Structure formats: C-alpha cells, structure tokens
C-alpha cells in the first residue's frame, strides 16, 4: 500500500524541505523546554550531570574480533551502546537546561562516534553482505544494520536539535556528521538492494525493516537538502516497508512477540509519524485496517503491570515505550491503546533504558502533560482471538487483572525469533506468573546459528507441551498447528488445535488434539482446563507432559500439585494420579537477562503416563487453591 501511494503521487511536491521539517521543538526554542514540569526537567538534568566527567571508552579491534573468535558479543557491545546512551543523556539534559553545560561532552561524544571505524556491531556482520567470516569489517564496504541506522538517527537528531550551537562551536562538527552520514547511511541506503532487511531478497524480513527505516527516514528528512534525493529515499522506504506489511496477517499479530513489537509495530509507527510530519499530514496511513490492527495487538497481549504474553524470544516483562503506545492509540482513535500508554507511563515514569530513540523521547516530552494529567488503568481485555496468528487470550474478568489468565498459541515453528512451541500455554493468577514461557537468554553466536535449537529455552520440552516417544517438536514451517478452533460463550473461552504436524514422524503421532479453556461460569469457581486427546501409530510407554513454572511445585497426596508465590497466592493443579506420575526438575538460572525477569530458579513439572497407550485422553485442571488443607507427598 505504501509503494502504490508513492508511485501515484509526486513525493517531491508533498515533502517539506529540510529547513521546514519541524516535528518537535529544537533546543533553542526555550519556551517549550522551560515549561516542562520540574519532575521531567530534574530527571534529565540529573542524568546528564552524571556524564559531565565521563571518559569515553575505547572500542578495541580485539573486542570486535571476540564474536568470530569465541561467540562473545557483550564485551564490545557494552562500550558501544554506553557511548550512545551517554550522548543521549547529555543532549536531552542540555535541551532541558539550555545553559551550555553539557555541550562540550556532546561534542566529544559526536566526535568519538564519527571516528568509529564501523557502526555495525560484530554480531550483525554475519547477517550482512560481509559474511565471509572475517573478524574485522572491511571499512571500504559500508553496510547498514540496526545499530548503524540507530547511530545515524542519533546523529541526525542531535544535528536537528543543536544545529545552531554546533555551528557556533565549530562548523567542522556538522560537516563531519554530514560526511559520515553520507558514506555510512545515505549512499548504501540509496544504492544497494541486497540488504536482506529491505525485502528485495528471498529472506523474510522482520522488525529490522521498520526499525532501520525509521532512523534512515529521519536522517534524510533532517539532513538531506536535495529535494529529489529526499523524495527518492522516501519512495524507497515506502516500497521496502510494504515487504514488512506483507509478512503480517490481517489480525495484526506480531509473531515475534510483544518484546519485539516495540521495534516492529512501534517502529512502523515511527515511520508513519515521520511520513506524516515530513509531508504536513498529506502522507497518512492511519486509517488502514492493518495499521490499526498492528497497533491494537500490544494491549491485546498485555497481562498486568509490565508483564506481557512473551511467546518467541521476547521477555515476559517489558519496558514498553509508553509514549509510542499513547500516540499510536491517538492516531488510530483507539482509546484502549492510548490508555495503556498512559497507564504504563504513570506506572513507570520516565525511563532511561531506551538506548537512543530520540524521536520517542521527544514525543514523550511533547505529550508529557497528557500522559500525566489523569489516572488511567490498563484495558484488560477479557477475550482475545487473533485468528491468523493463532494467539488466544482469556482472563477471568473484563477490566481487571484479578483471577486466572490463560494465553496460548498455535502457528508454526518457523516464525520470526521462533521457539518450538506450537500449542504452548501460560497461566497467570492475579497478574502474577505461575505457568510461564522462559523467554530467552542473552544472545550469543549460537542463538541465531544452525545450533539455535540446542538451547534449552528454544525446545518444546521446556514449554507447556508433550514429549512423545522421547521426541520433541521440530523447527521449520512445515511443523505447524492444524484444525484450529476457537469457541467463546458466556461460560467459557476455548482454543483447540491438532499438534500432530508439529512433531516429526519419529514421534509416531497420528492425531494429537489439544484443547485449552478458561471456564468462568457465573456463580462457580473459574478454572483452566488443558485436555489432550491423542492417537499414536503404536503403543507407547513414553508420554510426558511438560510445564515450566515459576513457583516450586509441591506434590500433594490427593492427586494435586500446589504452586504458591511470594504474594501468598496459591493455585492447584488437579491430575489423575493413578495414571500419571509427577516429577519436578529444578532449573538453575545463571543468565543475567533471565535472572532479571525470573530470579535464580525455575521448575519443570513433568507428568509421565504410567500405562502403555496407543490412544487416550489426559486432562489437567488448574484453579485457585481453596481454604481446605492439603498434605505434601
């Protein structure tokens, strides 16, 4: 839809000039910055003050070489990202204060970044055309990855905000920025079509596409003065963005999960805002149904607080870009989405860990009053069914996080940032996790290699899924759900699917019908029911039902298992103890990324069938624990 618009209109007539492009106040427009509430001003000035004596770290060649040598990506990235975070702190601290106190450090940061040999991080070199295994980049061939584009965006917005002050300090600063942007961003962006994320190659695009375009578009609109070049860049971005829209189903579901929505659907919004502002509203796609559905997805998978349904590589607890959610909701006239943005902002306040998303921070400044004016609560939709991406959500009651919450998925095992998890489910209670999806550990060279599924978090055996004859689900698009059904009544919401095709032939499955339901009949206790009806091609003595839990399972003597959390909340799992043997495996979490979400320990609950079976049915019932006593086995 974007390319069609670009071919039917003269973009050079629609786009404003670089001098006219004015989406946000510049640092010199003091009236805006001086009127910001003191809470916002003091926060950003305080962060900038921490950086006044900052020593800009070196980026040694041998640290760049780590990734090819030993798979480590963090040692280089820590210094690389820290440089950019510090520059962001300084430039917004200076915007707010306006006294020139942070300007010298801003210049130091700009110069350091301009002098970096390469803006592409080591881990992304293997995803570029420089994929021959060299441990250092060929600087004569500039390519664009996520963070080269982000760096370009950071420099462009810095030039936008401080053009007059930087010019006064030394004309060489802006000249250097333009020089680096031309060779590292503008020329490869316009001249090349072999970057996979552009969508011209057979490889499927993902969040890289809108994320990179959002930064490159900003850079062209801010820095490029030639109208024909600007319109050419915008036309190419619009054509390429169609490749991103093409991977989405009409339901707007993000198969990369909410953790990546912030750089998928939200980055699309960044692009749409730039097109809108760069054309004074003449390029407007907010009424497009798919654009609207892609925005709504984020509140449809919100559980409570900062917790979201984290299928795929995303984390279960997110630092959501509240201002983006708010503004996106306003643009598509969806009060539930804008309310989630307001709720999130009021719950978390101004956050610092957004790396260097200048446009988003500026949006937060511009909407600060609206984000803080009135108390807001999250929408808490009761029932969600994304029929194309097979995402199912049901909570006990509309408008509240109280009670049981069930989410499940179908799909296939070649989704972006895929885990082998077709038919997987999670269960929360009162907004707190009980049955979980572990997410992923810090990325290493192994994460996106042919050895990805050696990592335990990617395997179906560490999701709420069966292992059949010792065989787990296989990765690949052919391994998918079939015979999908969704039923919603006043008494229950249910989702069922056939898992047979998600497993290789070695599992010996003829049919595996899994149904997952939240029962909430008025006047009765709500409960979750997981039911597996199966037919195998032979008798099996090796059928195991896996679940990953955050609380430690306690095996009770009456065919129940108790999960209790630190809030004093308890749920019971009821199973047929005469047919199933329960066992608990302790998983020690040593990865820092996972520890920040779950702590040091997770548990795998396994229910093993005791009798040889070729066909049968197994059911679990999950409900809040009653006041009666129970005895540990």
């Amino acid at each position: 839809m974007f390319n069609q618009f670009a071919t039917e209109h003269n973009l050079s007539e629609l786009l404003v000039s670089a001098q006219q492009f004015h989406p946000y106040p510049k640092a010199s427009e003091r009236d805006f910055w001086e009127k910001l509430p003191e809470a916002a001003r003091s926060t950003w000035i305080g962060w900038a003050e921490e950086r006044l004596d900052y020593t800009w770290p070196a980026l040694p060649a041998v640290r760049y070489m780590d990734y090819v040598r030993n798979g480590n990506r963090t040692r280089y990235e820590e210094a690389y990202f820290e440089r950019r975070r510090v520059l962001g702190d300084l430039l917004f601290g200076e915007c707010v204060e306006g006294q020139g106190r942070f300007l010298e450090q801003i210049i130091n940061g700009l110069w350091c970044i301009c002098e970096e040999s390469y803006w592409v991080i080591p881990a992304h070199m293997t995803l570029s055309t420089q994929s021959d295994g060299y441990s250092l980049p060929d600087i004569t061939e500039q390519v664009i990855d996520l963070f080269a584009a982000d760096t370009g965006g950071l420099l462009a917005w810095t030039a936008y905000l401080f053009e007059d002050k930087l010019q006064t300090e030394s004309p060489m600063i802006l000249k250097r920025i333009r020089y680096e942007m031309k060779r590292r961003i503008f020329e490869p962006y316009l001249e090349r079509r072999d970057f996979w994320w552009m969508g011209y190659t057979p490889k499927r695009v993902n969040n890289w596409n809108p994320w990179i375009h959002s930064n490159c578009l900003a850079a062209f609109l801010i820095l490029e003065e030639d109208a024909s070049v600007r319109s050419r860049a915008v036309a190419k971005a619009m054509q390429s963005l169609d490749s991103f829209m093409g991977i989405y189903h009409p339901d707007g579901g993000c198969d990369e999960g909410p953790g990546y929505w912030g750089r998928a659907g939200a980055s699309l919004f960044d692009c749409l805002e730039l097109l809108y502002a760069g054309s004074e509203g003449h390029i407007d796609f907010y009424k497009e149904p798919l654009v609207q559905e892609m925005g709504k997805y984020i509140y449809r998978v919100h559980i409570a607080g900062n917790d979201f349904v984290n299928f795929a590589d995303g984390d279960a607890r997110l630092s959501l870009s509240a201002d983006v959610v708010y503004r996106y909701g306003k643009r598509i006239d969806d009060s539930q989405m804008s309310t989630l943005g307001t709720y999130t902002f009021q719950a978390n306040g101004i956050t610092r860990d957004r790396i260097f998303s200048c446009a988003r921070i500026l949006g937060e400044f511009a909407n600060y009053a609206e984000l803080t004016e009135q108390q807001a609560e999250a929408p808490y939709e009761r029932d969600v069914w994304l029929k194309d991406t097979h995402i199912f959500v049901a909570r006990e009651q509309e408008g509240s996080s109280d009670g049981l919450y069930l989410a499940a998925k179908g799909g296939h095992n070649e989704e972006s940032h895929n885990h082998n998890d077709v038919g997987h489910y999670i269960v929360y209670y009162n907004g707190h996790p009980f049955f979980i999806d572990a997410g992923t550990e810090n990325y290493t060279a192994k994460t996106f290699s042919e050895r990805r599924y050696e990592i335990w978090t990617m395997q179906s055996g560490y999701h709420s899924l069966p292992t059949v004859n010792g065989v787990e689900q296989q990765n690949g698009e052919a391994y998918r759900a079939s015979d999908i059904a969704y039923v919603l009544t006043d008494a229950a919401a249910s989702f069922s699917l056939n898992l047979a095709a998600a497993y290789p032939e070695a599992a010996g499955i003829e049919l595996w019908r899994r149904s997952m339901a939240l029962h909430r009949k008025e006047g009765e206790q709500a409960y979750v029911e997981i039911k597996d009806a199966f037919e195998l091609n032979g008798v099996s003595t090796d059928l195991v039902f896996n679940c990953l839990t955050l609380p430690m399972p306690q095996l009770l003597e009456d065919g129940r298992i108790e999960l209790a959390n630190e809030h004093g909340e308890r749920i019971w799992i009821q199973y047929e103890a005469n047919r199933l043997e329960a066992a608990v495996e302790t998983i020690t979490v040593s990865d820092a990324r996972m520890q920040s979400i779950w702590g040091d320990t997770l548990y795998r609950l396994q229910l093993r069938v005791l009798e040889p079976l070729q066909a049968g049915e197994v059911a679990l019932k999950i409900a809040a624990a009653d006041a009666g006593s129970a005895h540990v086995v």
Side-chain angles (χ1 to χ4, degrees):
M1 66 184 178
F2 297 123
N3 187 49
Q4 182 178 345
F5 182 97
T7 55
E8 292 176 353
H9 295 81
N10 186 337
L11 294 180
S12 61
E13 293 180 358
L14 295 181
L15 295 171
V16 301
S17 68
Q19 290 74 27
Q20 293 171 313
F21 182 64
H22 192 266
Y24 298 109
K26 298 184 178 183
S28 58
E29 299 174 67
R30 297 311 307 161
D31 187 57
F32 170 82
W33 298 102
E34 298 295 341
K35 287 182 178 178
L36 284 173
E38 183 57 30
R41 289 176 54 81
S42 61
T43 296
W44 279 104
I45 291 171
W47 287 340
E49 286 176 334
E50 294 174 15
R51 311 301 196 176
L52 275 170
D53 298 319
Y54 182 74
T55 300
W56 299 87
L59 294 174
V62 291
R63 291 287 71 82
Y64 202 104
M65 297 167 74
D66 279 342
Y67 187 74
V68 170
R69 284 177 163 181
N70 54 49
N72 182 283
R73 59 183 287 176
T74 58
R75 285 192 289 264
Y76 184 86
E77 288 182 14
E78 283 172 357
Y80 174 99
F81 289 131
E82 184 68 7
R83 282 182 166 200
R84 287 146 176 82
R85 290 190 182 96
V86 170
L87 180 57
D89 287 349
L90 291 163
L91 71 91
F92 287 112
E94 182 59 35
C95 282
V96 170
E97 187 179 79
Q99 297 178 8
R101 228 182 2 140
F102 309 112
L103 199 56
E104 286 196 353
Q105 275 286 48
I106 290 172
I107 294 169
N108 286 338
L110 289 171
W111 208 254
C112 279
I113 291 171
C114 284
E115 291 198 329
E116 290 175 5
S117 294
Y118 224 62
W119 289 346
V120 177
I121 64 171
H124 289 169
M125 286 301 298
T126 56
L127 299 174
S128 76
T129 53
Q130 291 193 30
S131 57
D132 50 15
Y134 290 131
S135 57
L136 287 171
D138 179 356
I139 64 168
T140 66
E141 183 193 3
Q142 293 292 332
V143 300
I144 304 175
D145 77 328
L146 294 178
F147 302 116
D150 258 345
T151 301
L154 174 62
L155 266 59
W157 282 110
T158 305
Y160 172 86
L161 292 166
F162 291 103
E163 180 181 12
D164 53 346
K165 289 190 177 183
L166 295 175
Q167 192 69 14
T168 299
E169 290 291 332
S170 173
M172 290 300 104
I173 300 169
L174 289 172
K175 184 176 181 180
R176 179 70 185 275
I177 289 174
R178 291 179 181 277
Y179 170 78
E180 299 296 346
M181 292 293 292
K182 181 180 179 181
R183 72 185 185 94
R184 299 183 196 245
I185 303 295
F186 289 1
E187 289 178 352
Y189 186 88
L190 290 172
E191 295 172 5
R192 298 184 63 162
R193 293 169 62 91
D194 57 338
F195 297 146
W196 68 270
W197 51 264
M198 286 184 168
Y200 302 119
T201 70
K203 184 174 180 178
R204 184 179 186 266
V205 302
N206 62 8
N207 67 83
W208 279 48
N209 178 284
W211 186 348
I212 291 174
H213 285 308
S214 68
N215 285 290
C216 293
L217 271 173
F220 276 104
L221 291 171
I222 291 168
L223 296 174
E224 181 52 65
E225 297 176 344
D226 187 316
S228 64
V229 175
R230 284 161 64 83
S231 59
R232 183 182 161 204
V234 170
K236 186 169 187 178
M238 293 175 75
Q239 183 183 61
S240 180
L241 281 167
D242 272 340
S243 298
F244 177 69
M245 304 302 287
I247 69 172
Y248 271 74
H249 295 292
D251 66 16
C254 180
D255 67 2
E256 299 176 272
Y260 277 95
W261 181 88
R263 290 302 183 179
S267 286
L268 172 69
F269 174 76
D270 292 334
C271 293
L272 297 179
E273 284 291 90
L274 288 165
L275 294 171
Y276 190 92
S279 65
E280 295 184 325
H282 290 101
I283 304 178
D284 179 358
F285 292 96
Y286 289 114
K287 289 184 173 57
E288 291 288 342
L290 184 53
V291 169
Q292 298 199 356
E293 294 303 312
M294 289 168 70
K296 294 175 182 180
Y297 163 83
I298 195 60
Y299 68 78
R300 289 170 170 166
V301 291
H302 175 240
I303 302 172
N306 292 323
D307 285 14
F308 289 78
V309 178
N310 66 315
F311 302 143
D313 269 355
D315 296 326
R317 194 158 296 126
L318 305 182
S319 179
L320 197 64
S321 294
D323 57 295
V324 173
V325 177
Y326 173 77
R327 289 185 286 127
Y328 201 148
K330 295 283 282 187
R331 286 291 192 201
I332 66 172
D333 196 27
D334 188 303
S335 60
Q336 293 194 94
M337 186 175 186
S338 56
T339 298
L340 177 62
T342 306
Y343 161 80
T344 303
F345 184 79
Q346 292 177 1
N348 299 326
I350 301 171
T351 55
R352 192 181 191 177
D353 57 350
R354 287 171 292 185
I355 307 180
F356 29 84
S357 301
C358 293
R360 298 184 179 186
I361 296 170
L362 288 166
E364 183 178 284
F365 280 128
N367 292 282
Y368 190 89
E370 294 177 36
L371 287 165
T372 55
E373 274 176 359
Q374 55 188 4
Q375 283 297 112
E377 188 55 273
Y380 298 125
E381 280 208 346
R382 195 188 75 164
D383 296 290
V384 173
W385 172 237
L386 303 182
K387 65 182 180 64
D388 303 308
T389 43
H390 303 164
I391 300 298
F392 165 83
V393 167
R395 67 172 75 242
E396 194 167 326
Q397 51 187 304
E398 180 82 16
S400 173
S401 62
D402 292 346
L404 288 167
Y405 179 97
L406 170 66
K409 72 177 296 291
H412 60 79
N413 282 334
E414 189 62 25
E415 294 164 346
S416 187
H417 294 271
N418 178 70
H419 293 194
N420 290 339
D421 60 357
V422 174
H424 166 57
Y425 64 89
I426 61 174
V427 177
Y428 279 56
Y429 180 61
N430 291 340
H432 300 129
F434 282 81
F435 290 76
I436 67 167
D437 186 313
T440 191
E441 299 173 325
N442 276 308
Y443 290 160
T444 67
K446 190 176 181 179
T447 311
F448 298 105
S449 73
E450 66 278 1
R451 299 179 61 196
R452 175 179 176 87
Y453 295 96
E454 295 176 12
I455 302 171
W456 70 274
T457 61
M458 314 295 177
Q459 299 167 7
S460 65
Y462 288 91
H463 290 76
S464 299
L465 289 164
T467 300
V468 184
N469 289 317
V471 178
E472 297 185 3
Q473 290 188 10
Q474 181 68 43
N475 57 294
E477 190 169 356
Y479 299 94
R480 58 172 53 244
S482 62
D483 303 326
I484 308 298
Y486 171 70
V487 178
L488 177 63
T489 68
D490 289 340
S494 66
F495 167 44
S496 64
L497 68 172
N498 184 0
L499 302 184
Y503 291 79
E505 288 185 13
I509 301 174
E510 295 288 343
L511 171 72
W512 198 288
R513 189 76 190 173
R514 164 164 283 194
S515 63
M516 297 160 280
L518 175 58
H519 297 269
R520 50 192 176 210
K521 189 173 182 180
E522 188 174 355
E524 298 183 8
Q525 184 185 33
Y527 65 94
V528 169
E529 184 179 44
I530 310 297
K531 188 180 295 183
D532 290 282
F534 54 88
E535 297 174 13
L536 309 178
N537 59 19
V539 174
S540 175
T541 58
D542 190 6
L543 300 178
V544 180
F545 297 85
N546 304 290
C547 304
L548 204 64
T549 71
L550 181 58
M552 182 175 67
Q554 295 285 340
L555 307 184
L556 308 181
E557 63 183 10
D558 53 358
R560 288 183 293 181
I561 300 166
E562 181 175 282
L563 303 178
N565 66 14
E566 70 274 18
H567 303 286
E569 298 158 341
R570 299 182 299 148
I571 65 172
W572 282 344
I573 308 158
Q574 186 173 327
Y575 67 103
E576 296 176 90
N578 61 329
R579 297 179 60 219
L580 299 169
E581 180 182 41
V584 178
E585 173 191 353
T586 300
I587 300 171
T588 300
V589 178
S590 57
D591 176 78
R593 175 175 176 175
M594 285 187 61
Q595 284 178 327
S596 68
I597 306 296
W598 305 123
D600 298 329
T601 310
L602 297 176
Y603 302 92
R604 180 163 68 158
L605 172 64
Q606 295 186 300
L607 299 172
R608 183 179 298 273
V609 174
L610 292 172
E611 56 188 329
L613 291 173
Q614 185 170 354
E617 182 175 289
V618 172
L620 301 180
K621 180 179 177 181
I622 303 166
D626 60 33
S629 62
H631 302 285
V632 176
V633 175

